[in-house]
Amino acid sequence: MILESLASVLGMMAEDVRTARTKDPAARSAVTVALLYSGVHAVWGYRLAHALWHRGFRFTARFFSQAVRLLTGVEIHPAADIGRRLFIDHGAGVVIGETAELGDDVLLYHGVTLGGDSMRREKRHPTLGDGVVVGASATLLGDISIGEAASVGAGSVVVDDIPPGETVAGVPAEPIDGADRSRQTRSK
């Protein structure tokens, strides 16, 4: 059982490295990603903190997540629900709140905030569907849903739901008609 768990963890770590190499043209090697990518390290730290959180070690999980934040510049609450293959490019300044939910294959650039808009103990952070891309320094606030394969432009402020496949930008974020998604996902 321990060997199966270790194999599973190592498999996920290898998947994260492959994801970074696929999504970042600057990634020169798997060794470089594994040793030097703070966004990847933050995701690995989150996974350990998340496991501790769900096993009832909440203080330890929070303490560990804060240590990871100090080392990586990325703050992910251990209670957040994050799917597979999350890639945080450049990492610095990313904040993912307690009730945030992220699907698989999400790409976040530096400075992204998935923040709350309520002081009550309720769902108060965004939900991002599979394949969502969020540009640098974008802020998504509240219990909003970002549909599958949607894109949020850099510096945008999002306070309303975004339908699947939609591209939005601005303050407040509004749909961009005829957006070239291939160009949007390459820009930082």
Side-chain angles (χ1 to χ4, degrees):
M1 179 157 171
I2 292 174
L3 289 178
E4 288 173 7
S5 294
L6 180 60
S8 175
V9 167
L10 292 175
M12 245 183 194
M13 291 173 76
E15 183 177 63
D16 290 331
V17 169
R18 282 191 304 275
T19 298
R21 294 203 62 208
T22 300
K23 293 188 176 186
D24 184 1
R28 302 284 184 241
S29 71
V31 171
T32 299
V33 171
L35 295 178
L36 303 178
Y37 274 50
S38 62
V40 172
H41 299 154
V43 170
W44 292 346
Y46 154 79
R47 289 206 182 112
L48 177 57
H50 186 70
L52 289 167
W53 183 269
H54 283 286
R55 285 173 177 75
F57 299 102
R58 297 210 165 160
F59 177 83
T60 304
R62 287 289 304 200
F63 184 86
F64 184 74
S65 72
Q66 291 302 300
V68 171
R69 180 181 66 94
L70 286 172
L71 294 171
T72 65
V74 176
E75 182 171 349
I76 306 174
H77 194 286
D81 186 12
I82 296 175
R84 296 174 60 174
R85 297 175 299 278
L86 167 63
F87 180 52
I88 303 172
D89 196 8
H90 295 290
V94 170
V95 176
I96 301 174
E98 178 181 20
T99 63
E101 299 175 34
L102 284 70
D104 296 335
D105 303 305
V106 170
L107 171 59
L108 304 177
Y109 287 100
H110 60 279
V112 167
T113 298
L114 304 180
D117 67 350
S118 168
M119 298 300 288
R120 294 183 297 277
R121 292 182 187 268
E122 61 187 11
K123 174 77 167 103
R124 61 188 187 280
H125 297 91
T127 298
L128 280 59
D130 295 344
V132 168
V133 176
V134 183
S137 299
T139 301
L140 290 70
L141 296 174
D143 181 14
I144 57 174
S145 293
I146 311 304
E148 188 173 308
S151 294
V152 176
S156 297
V157 176
V158 182
V159 293
D160 293 313
D161 293 348
I162 300 172
E166 184 86 74
T167 298
V168 300
V171 180
E174 295 180 358
I176 297 174
D177 293 329
D180 179 356
R181 211 165 128 51
S182 64
R183 199 178 106 210
Q184 176 90 14
T185 58
R186 286 193 309 263
S187 64
K188 291 184 185 182

PDB file of all heavy atoms in Angstrom, residues 139-170:
ATOM      1  N   THR A 139      -7.829  39.348 -11.344  1.00  0.00           N
ATOM      2  CA  THR A 139      -8.477  39.139 -10.055  1.00  0.00           C
ATOM      3  C   THR A 139      -9.882  38.616 -10.297  1.00  0.00           C
ATOM      4  O   THR A 139     -10.679  39.258 -10.985  1.00  0.00           O
ATOM      5  CB  THR A 139      -8.541  40.460  -9.260  1.00  0.00           C
ATOM      6  OG1 THR A 139      -7.203  40.943  -9.067  1.00  0.00           O
ATOM      7  CG2 THR A 139      -9.215  40.266  -7.916  1.00  0.00           C
ATOM      8  N   LEU A 140     -10.178  37.449  -9.747  1.00  0.00           N
ATOM      9  CA  LEU A 140     -11.501  36.841  -9.854  1.00  0.00           C
ATOM     10  C   LEU A 140     -12.062  36.783  -8.445  1.00  0.00           C
ATOM     11  O   LEU A 140     -11.428  36.202  -7.555  1.00  0.00           O
ATOM     12  CB  LEU A 140     -11.422  35.442 -10.458  1.00  0.00           C
ATOM     13  CG  LEU A 140     -11.063  35.360 -11.949  1.00  0.00           C
ATOM     14  CD1 LEU A 140      -9.626  35.752 -12.221  1.00  0.00           C
ATOM     15  CD2 LEU A 140     -11.321  33.966 -12.460  1.00  0.00           C
ATOM     16  N   LEU A 141     -13.226  37.384  -8.232  1.00  0.00           N
ATOM     17  CA  LEU A 141     -13.755  37.528  -6.879  1.00  0.00           C
ATOM     18  C   LEU A 141     -15.129  36.912  -6.724  1.00  0.00           C
ATOM     19  O   LEU A 141     -16.010  37.123  -7.556  1.00  0.00           O
ATOM     20  CB  LEU A 141     -13.845  39.016  -6.510  1.00  0.00           C
ATOM     21  CG  LEU A 141     -12.529  39.770  -6.434  1.00  0.00           C
ATOM     22  CD1 LEU A 141     -12.785  41.251  -6.206  1.00  0.00           C
ATOM     23  CD2 LEU A 141     -11.647  39.201  -5.339  1.00  0.00           C
ATOM     24  N   GLY A 142     -15.301  36.187  -5.636  1.00  0.00           N
ATOM     25  CA  GLY A 142     -16.608  35.686  -5.250  1.00  0.00           C
ATOM     26  C   GLY A 142     -16.917  34.305  -5.771  1.00  0.00           C
ATOM     27  O   GLY A 142     -16.113  33.664  -6.450  1.00  0.00           O
ATOM     28  N   ASP A 143     -18.108  33.854  -5.440  1.00  0.00           N
ATOM     29  CA  ASP A 143     -18.604  32.536  -5.849  1.00  0.00           C
ATOM     30  C   ASP A 143     -19.107  32.641  -7.289  1.00  0.00           C
ATOM     31  O   ASP A 143     -20.306  32.662  -7.545  1.00  0.00           O
ATOM     32  CB  ASP A 143     -19.709  32.083  -4.898  1.00  0.00           C
ATOM     33  CG  ASP A 143     -20.249  30.703  -5.251  1.00  0.00           C
ATOM     34  OD1 ASP A 143     -19.603  29.994  -6.046  1.00  0.00           O
ATOM     35  OD2 ASP A 143     -21.337  30.354  -4.746  1.00  0.00           O
ATOM     36  N   ILE A 144     -18.162  32.727  -8.219  1.00  0.00           N
ATOM     37  CA  ILE A 144     -18.480  32.824  -9.636  1.00  0.00           C
ATOM     38  C   ILE A 144     -17.964  31.576 -10.336  1.00  0.00           C
ATOM     39  O   ILE A 144     -17.091  30.870  -9.823  1.00  0.00           O
ATOM     40  CB  ILE A 144     -17.873  34.091 -10.295  1.00  0.00           C
ATOM     41  CG1 ILE A 144     -16.361  34.135 -10.108  1.00  0.00           C
ATOM     42  CG2 ILE A 144     -18.531  35.337  -9.710  1.00  0.00           C
ATOM     43  CD1 ILE A 144     -15.664  35.272 -10.833  1.00  0.00           C
ATOM     44  N   SER A 145     -18.516  31.299 -11.507  1.00  0.00           N
ATOM     45  CA  SER A 145     -18.097  30.134 -12.294  1.00  0.00           C
ATOM     46  C   SER A 145     -17.468  30.597 -13.597  1.00  0.00           C
ATOM     47  O   SER A 145     -18.055  31.402 -14.320  1.00  0.00           O
ATOM     48  CB  SER A 145     -19.292  29.232 -12.601  1.00  0.00           C
ATOM     49  OG  SER A 145     -19.782  28.656 -11.420  1.00  0.00           O
ATOM     50  N   ILE A 146     -16.290  30.071 -13.875  1.00  0.00           N
ATOM     51  CA  ILE A 146     -15.594  30.343 -15.117  1.00  0.00           C
ATOM     52  C   ILE A 146     -15.680  29.056 -15.927  1.00  0.00           C
ATOM     53  O   ILE A 146     -15.111  28.032 -15.539  1.00  0.00           O
ATOM     54  CB  ILE A 146     -14.125  30.748 -14.869  1.00  0.00           C
ATOM     55  CG1 ILE A 146     -14.016  31.833 -13.785  1.00  0.00           C
ATOM     56  CG2 ILE A 146     -13.461  31.158 -16.185  1.00  0.00           C
ATOM     57  CD1 ILE A 146     -14.815  33.085 -14.033  1.00  0.00           C
ATOM     58  N   GLY A 147     -16.400  29.100 -17.042  1.00  0.00           N
ATOM     59  CA  GLY A 147     -16.683  27.899 -17.815  1.00  0.00           C
ATOM     60  C   GLY A 147     -15.462  27.267 -18.452  1.00  0.00           C
ATOM     61  O   GLY A 147     -14.423  27.906 -18.640  1.00  0.00           O
ATOM     62  N   GLU A 148     -15.623  26.030 -18.802  1.00  0.00           N
ATOM     63  CA  GLU A 148     -14.563  25.240 -19.431  1.00  0.00           C
ATOM     64  C   GLU A 148     -13.966  25.981 -20.631  1.00  0.00           C
ATOM     65  O   GLU A 148     -14.682  26.574 -21.429  1.00  0.00           O
ATOM     66  CB  GLU A 148     -15.177  23.913 -19.884  1.00  0.00           C
ATOM     67  CG  GLU A 148     -14.192  22.905 -20.389  1.00  0.00           C
ATOM     68  CD  GLU A 148     -14.870  21.570 -20.640  1.00  0.00           C
ATOM     69  OE1 GLU A 148     -15.548  21.069 -19.731  1.00  0.00           O
ATOM     70  OE2 GLU A 148     -14.705  21.059 -21.764  1.00  0.00           O
ATOM     71  N   ALA A 149     -12.638  25.975 -20.721  1.00  0.00           N
ATOM     72  CA  ALA A 149     -11.874  26.557 -21.828  1.00  0.00           C
ATOM     73  C   ALA A 149     -12.070  28.064 -21.984  1.00  0.00           C
ATOM     74  O   ALA A 149     -11.779  28.624 -23.033  1.00  0.00           O
ATOM     75  CB  ALA A 149     -12.179  25.844 -23.138  1.00  0.00           C
ATOM     76  N   ALA A 150     -12.519  28.746 -20.934  1.00  0.00           N
ATOM     77  CA  ALA A 150     -12.630  30.207 -20.973  1.00  0.00           C
ATOM     78  C   ALA A 150     -11.261  30.827 -20.720  1.00  0.00           C
ATOM     79  O   ALA A 150     -10.377  30.190 -20.148  1.00  0.00           O
ATOM     80  CB  ALA A 150     -13.629  30.690 -19.921  1.00  0.00           C
ATOM     81  N   SER A 151     -11.098  32.077 -21.150  1.00  0.00           N
ATOM     82  CA  SER A 151      -9.849  32.810 -20.937  1.00  0.00           C
ATOM     83  C   SER A 151     -10.144  34.158 -20.300  1.00  0.00           C
ATOM     84  O   SER A 151     -11.101  34.831 -20.681  1.00  0.00           O
ATOM     85  CB  SER A 151      -9.134  33.063 -22.266  1.00  0.00           C
ATOM     86  OG  SER A 151      -8.702  31.851 -22.840  1.00  0.00           O
ATOM     87  N   VAL A 152      -9.289  34.537 -19.358  1.00  0.00           N
ATOM     88  CA  VAL A 152      -9.399  35.835 -18.691  1.00  0.00           C
ATOM     89  C   VAL A 152      -8.127  36.609 -19.014  1.00  0.00           C
ATOM     90  O   VAL A 152      -7.023  36.131 -18.746  1.00  0.00           O
ATOM     91  CB  VAL A 152      -9.559  35.663 -17.167  1.00  0.00           C
ATOM     92  CG1 VAL A 152      -9.584  37.018 -16.477  1.00  0.00           C
ATOM     93  CG2 VAL A 152     -10.804  34.855 -16.839  1.00  0.00           C
ATOM     94  N   GLY A 153      -8.284  37.796 -19.582  1.00  0.00           N
ATOM     95  CA  GLY A 153      -7.144  38.618 -19.960  1.00  0.00           C
ATOM     96  C   GLY A 153      -6.373  39.144 -18.761  1.00  0.00           C
ATOM     97  O   GLY A 153      -6.909  39.302 -17.666  1.00  0.00           O
ATOM     98  N   ALA A 154      -5.096  39.439 -18.990  1.00  0.00           N
ATOM     99  CA  ALA A 154      -4.228  39.975 -17.947  1.00  0.00           C
ATOM    100  C   ALA A 154      -4.805  41.262 -17.377  1.00  0.00           C
ATOM    101  O   ALA A 154      -5.346  42.093 -18.097  1.00  0.00           O
ATOM    102  CB  ALA A 154      -2.838  40.229 -18.517  1.00  0.00           C
ATOM    103  N   GLY A 155      -4.721  41.394 -16.051  1.00  0.00           N
ATOM    104  CA  GLY A 155      -5.169  42.598 -15.377  1.00  0.00           C
ATOM    105  C   GLY A 155      -6.670  42.760 -15.239  1.00  0.00           C
ATOM    106  O   GLY A 155      -7.139  43.764 -14.711  1.00  0.00           O
ATOM    107  N   SER A 156      -7.423  41.784 -15.692  1.00  0.00           N
ATOM    108  CA  SER A 156      -8.883  41.871 -15.631  1.00  0.00           C
ATOM    109  C   SER A 156      -9.393  41.684 -14.205  1.00  0.00           C
ATOM    110  O   SER A 156      -8.744  41.061 -13.378  1.00  0.00           O
ATOM    111  CB  SER A 156      -9.514  40.800 -16.524  1.00  0.00           C
ATOM    112  OG  SER A 156      -9.170  41.016 -17.865  1.00  0.00           O
ATOM    113  N   VAL A 157     -10.580  42.230 -13.963  1.00  0.00           N
ATOM    114  CA  VAL A 157     -11.284  41.997 -12.707  1.00  0.00           C
ATOM    115  C   VAL A 157     -12.606  41.335 -13.068  1.00  0.00           C
ATOM    116  O   VAL A 157     -13.420  41.913 -13.786  1.00  0.00           O
ATOM    117  CB  VAL A 157     -11.526  43.303 -11.929  1.00  0.00           C
ATOM    118  CG1 VAL A 157     -12.358  43.024 -10.680  1.00  0.00           C
ATOM    119  CG2 VAL A 157     -10.201  43.952 -11.549  1.00  0.00           C
ATOM    120  N   VAL A 158     -12.792  40.109 -12.572  1.00  0.00           N
ATOM    121  CA  VAL A 158     -13.976  39.315 -12.922  1.00  0.00           C
ATOM    122  C   VAL A 158     -14.838  39.140 -11.674  1.00  0.00           C
ATOM    123  O   VAL A 158     -14.359  38.634 -10.659  1.00  0.00           O
ATOM    124  CB  VAL A 158     -13.574  37.936 -13.494  1.00  0.00           C
ATOM    125  CG1 VAL A 158     -14.808  37.140 -13.888  1.00  0.00           C
ATOM    126  CG2 VAL A 158     -12.626  38.088 -14.669  1.00  0.00           C
ATOM    127  N   VAL A 159     -16.112  39.564 -11.778  1.00  0.00           N
ATOM    128  CA  VAL A 159     -17.037  39.431 -10.655  1.00  0.00           C
ATOM    129  C   VAL A 159     -18.326  38.719 -11.069  1.00  0.00           C
ATOM    130  O   VAL A 159     -19.221  38.553 -10.255  1.00  0.00           O
ATOM    131  CB  VAL A 159     -17.359  40.802 -10.019  1.00  0.00           C
ATOM    132  CG1 VAL A 159     -16.119  41.389  -9.348  1.00  0.00           C
ATOM    133  CG2 VAL A 159     -17.934  41.763 -11.042  1.00  0.00           C
ATOM    134  N   ASP A 160     -18.415  38.312 -12.341  1.00  0.00           N
ATOM    135  CA  ASP A 160     -19.591  37.611 -12.850  1.00  0.00           C
ATOM    136  C   ASP A 160     -19.158  36.317 -13.538  1.00  0.00           C
ATOM    137  O   ASP A 160     -18.009  36.189 -13.976  1.00  0.00           O
ATOM    138  CB  ASP A 160     -20.333  38.486 -13.876  1.00  0.00           C
ATOM    139  CG  ASP A 160     -20.945  39.721 -13.240  1.00  0.00           C
ATOM    140  OD1 ASP A 160     -21.591  39.589 -12.187  1.00  0.00           O
ATOM    141  OD2 ASP A 160     -20.758  40.826 -13.803  1.00  0.00           O
ATOM    142  N   ASP A 161     -20.103  35.395 -13.673  1.00  0.00           N
ATOM    143  CA  ASP A 161     -19.830  34.131 -14.355  1.00  0.00           C
ATOM    144  C   ASP A 161     -19.371  34.376 -15.788  1.00  0.00           C
ATOM    145  O   ASP A 161     -19.757  35.366 -16.417  1.00  0.00           O
ATOM    146  CB  ASP A 161     -21.087  33.264 -14.395  1.00  0.00           C
ATOM    147  CG  ASP A 161     -21.521  32.768 -13.018  1.00  0.00           C
ATOM    148  OD1 ASP A 161     -20.749  32.891 -12.052  1.00  0.00           O
ATOM    149  OD2 ASP A 161     -22.652  32.255 -12.922  1.00  0.00           O
ATOM    150  N   ILE A 162     -18.549  33.445 -16.295  1.00  0.00           N
ATOM    151  CA  ILE A 162     -18.103  33.484 -17.682  1.00  0.00           C
ATOM    152  C   ILE A 162     -18.509  32.154 -18.316  1.00  0.00           C
ATOM    153  O   ILE A 162     -18.183  31.089 -17.783  1.00  0.00           O
ATOM    154  CB  ILE A 162     -16.580  33.658 -17.781  1.00  0.00           C
ATOM    155  CG1 ILE A 162     -16.140  34.968 -17.112  1.00  0.00           C
ATOM    156  CG2 ILE A 162     -16.119  33.614 -19.238  1.00  0.00           C
ATOM    157  CD1 ILE A 162     -14.640  35.116 -17.002  1.00  0.00           C
ATOM    158  N   PRO A 163     -19.202  32.188 -19.449  1.00  0.00           N
ATOM    159  CA  PRO A 163     -19.617  30.937 -20.088  1.00  0.00           C
ATOM    160  C   PRO A 163     -18.427  30.177 -20.682  1.00  0.00           C
ATOM    161  O   PRO A 163     -17.368  30.761 -20.934  1.00  0.00           O
ATOM    162  CB  PRO A 163     -20.583  31.380 -21.187  1.00  0.00           C
ATOM    163  CG  PRO A 163     -20.467  32.852 -21.306  1.00  0.00           C
ATOM    164  CD  PRO A 163     -19.709  33.368 -20.141  1.00  0.00           C
ATOM    165  N   PRO A 164     -18.591  28.885 -20.923  1.00  0.00           N
ATOM    166  CA  PRO A 164     -17.512  28.086 -21.521  1.00  0.00           C
ATOM    167  C   PRO A 164     -17.025  28.685 -22.830  1.00  0.00           C
ATOM    168  O   PRO A 164     -17.808  29.202 -23.631  1.00  0.00           O
ATOM    169  CB  PRO A 164     -18.181  26.725 -21.761  1.00  0.00           C
ATOM    170  CG  PRO A 164     -19.300  26.663 -20.775  1.00  0.00           C
ATOM    171  CD  PRO A 164     -19.786  28.085 -20.639  1.00  0.00           C
ATOM    172  N   GLY A 165     -15.706  28.661 -23.018  1.00  0.00           N
ATOM    173  CA  GLY A 165     -15.093  29.099 -24.259  1.00  0.00           C
ATOM    174  C   GLY A 165     -15.019  30.602 -24.451  1.00  0.00           C
ATOM    175  O   GLY A 165     -14.427  31.076 -25.420  1.00  0.00           O
ATOM    176  N   GLU A 166     -15.560  31.388 -23.543  1.00  0.00           N
ATOM    177  CA  GLU A 166     -15.588  32.857 -23.665  1.00  0.00           C
ATOM    178  C   GLU A 166     -14.230  33.446 -23.280  1.00  0.00           C
ATOM    179  O   GLU A 166     -13.543  32.933 -22.414  1.00  0.00           O
ATOM    180  CB  GLU A 166     -16.659  33.426 -22.737  1.00  0.00           C
ATOM    181  CG  GLU A 166     -16.855  34.914 -22.846  1.00  0.00           C
ATOM    182  CD  GLU A 166     -17.824  35.260 -23.960  1.00  0.00           C
ATOM    183  OE1 GLU A 166     -19.017  35.038 -23.767  1.00  0.00           O
ATOM    184  OE2 GLU A 166     -17.364  35.724 -25.013  1.00  0.00           O
ATOM    185  N   THR A 167     -13.851  34.524 -23.939  1.00  0.00           N
ATOM    186  CA  THR A 167     -12.667  35.285 -23.569  1.00  0.00           C
ATOM    187  C   THR A 167     -13.127  36.640 -23.070  1.00  0.00           C
ATOM    188  O   THR A 167     -13.909  37.320 -23.738  1.00  0.00           O
ATOM    189  CB  THR A 167     -11.714  35.464 -24.769  1.00  0.00           C
ATOM    190  OG1 THR A 167     -11.273  34.172 -25.197  1.00  0.00           O
ATOM    191  CG2 THR A 167     -10.506  36.302 -24.399  1.00  0.00           C
ATOM    192  N   VAL A 168     -12.644  37.028 -21.879  1.00  0.00           N
ATOM    193  CA  VAL A 168     -13.014  38.311 -21.295  1.00  0.00           C
ATOM    194  C   VAL A 168     -11.759  39.093 -20.939  1.00  0.00           C
ATOM    195  O   VAL A 168     -10.696  38.518 -20.699  1.00  0.00           O
ATOM    196  CB  VAL A 168     -13.912  38.152 -20.044  1.00  0.00           C
ATOM    197  CG1 VAL A 168     -15.209  37.429 -20.373  1.00  0.00           C
ATOM    198  CG2 VAL A 168     -13.174  37.448 -18.921  1.00  0.00           C
ATOM    199  N   ALA A 169     -11.908  40.418 -20.895  1.00  0.00           N
ATOM    200  CA  ALA A 169     -10.802  41.283 -20.486  1.00  0.00           C
ATOM    201  C   ALA A 169     -11.366  42.599 -19.992  1.00  0.00           C
ATOM    202  O   ALA A 169     -12.477  42.987 -20.346  1.00  0.00           O
ATOM    203  CB  ALA A 169      -9.851  41.511 -21.653  1.00  0.00           C
ATOM    204  N   GLY A 170     -10.590  43.287 -19.178  1.00  0.00           N
ATOM    205  CA  GLY A 170     -10.960  44.619 -18.738  1.00  0.00           C
ATOM    206  C   GLY A 170     -11.369  44.698 -17.289  1.00  0.00           C
ATOM    207  O   GLY A 170     -11.381  43.712 -16.566  1.00  0.00           O
TER     208      GLY A 170
END
